[in-house]
Amino acid sequence: MARIKGVVFVNRYDYLMSTAGEAGLAKVMAKLSADDAKALNLPNASEWYPLETVLRVDQVILDEVLGGNLERMIEVGAFSWRQNLNVTYRFLFRILSTETILSQASGAFRKMLDTGTASVEKLAPRDVIVRYEGFHPVKESYCRVLKGSLVGIMDACRVKGTVTDHACVFKGDPCCAFRARWE
């Protein structure tokens, strides 16, 4: 069973508070089991949780706050990485390139999820493919969160660009992959 770090719940909580406020948080909490609500409301950022827990929380966020629009899960991933990067690693933006930060973030994937790997393949200057291999999400919503993570990294790097789907396990591909291009 795949496990994920509790900081994911900290970011989900902060996302709900900043976008939906107390009312949105209460709406989500009311739909969660007691254990899932505890993980969202009182997580230990460094503890490992079953991936299924965050997937259940994400499903409730999707249904209750995002109107069932799967593409809006990108916002959740983008928010999480903007939070992580802007608070903890802001100083790196002055000395590292966007490509380097994307590469380092792919290493962080392994620290957040105890299964699979992420890698960055450079296609051209300011054009990379980020692959998530050996990780098979059980919900497509998590793929949108991964895509959003890359959007959030590019936002934090203050570059304009696009992140597009490149490969998807839900479409029969062997891995999930996204192409990131920026100016």
Side-chain angles (χ1 to χ4, degrees):
M1 173 191 329
R3 296 176 308 147
I4 195 162
K5 284 286 187 157
V7 71
V8 170
F9 295 105
V10 172
N11 289 335
R12 296 300 192 275
Y13 182 93
D14 290 346
Y15 172 80
L16 286 167
M17 290 301 291
S18 72
T19 60
E22 291 281 343
L25 177 63
K27 200 173 179 182
V28 168
M29 295 296 269
K31 297 286 183 170
L32 294 173
S33 71
D35 287 342
D36 291 354
K38 182 180 177 186
L40 177 61
N41 198 37
L42 296 168
N44 178 336
S46 62
E47 187 176 318
W48 290 97
Y49 292 82
L51 178 62
E52 288 79 12
T53 305
V54 79
L55 295 175
R56 287 190 301 268
V57 169
D58 283 353
Q59 188 63 50
V60 174
I61 292 170
L62 178 63
D63 294 342
E64 299 298 321
V65 176
L66 303 178
N69 183 344
L70 190 60
E71 288 302 306
R72 290 199 58 205
M73 288 303 292
I74 293 169
E75 296 171 22
V76 176
F79 179 89
S80 294
W81 276 94
R82 278 193 301 270
Q83 287 287 99
N84 293 343
L85 292 173
N86 283 331
V87 173
T88 309
Y89 301 107
R90 173 175 275 154
F91 72 96
L92 292 176
F93 299 123
R94 289 185 226 141
I95 57 175
L96 298 176
S97 70
T98 300
E99 182 182 331
T100 301
I101 292 172
L102 281 167
S103 293
Q104 294 301 313
S106 69
F109 176 81
R110 188 69 172 138
K111 293 176 184 168
M112 296 292 294
L113 195 63
D114 72 349
T115 186
T117 60
S119 62
V120 176
E121 175 189 355
K122 182 177 181 175
L123 300 176
R126 299 181 186 96
D127 187 0
V128 300
I129 292 180
V130 180
R131 283 187 181 78
Y132 298 94
E133 299 177 279
F135 162 70
H136 298 287
V138 275
K139 292 205 176 251
E140 195 172 354
S141 60
Y142 201 75
C143 291
R144 300 297 91 199
V145 170
L146 290 175
K147 183 177 183 177
S149 297
L150 299 175
V151 170
I153 291 168
M154 289 175 38
D155 288 350
C157 290
R158 293 176 176 77
V159 297
K160 292 185 179 199
T162 59
V163 178
T164 56
D165 295 353
H166 183 73
C168 179
V169 296
F170 292 104
K171 294 179 181 172
D173 295 313
C175 68
C176 292
F178 303 96
R179 187 170 185 178
R181 292 186 258 189
W182 61 95
E183 299 172 4

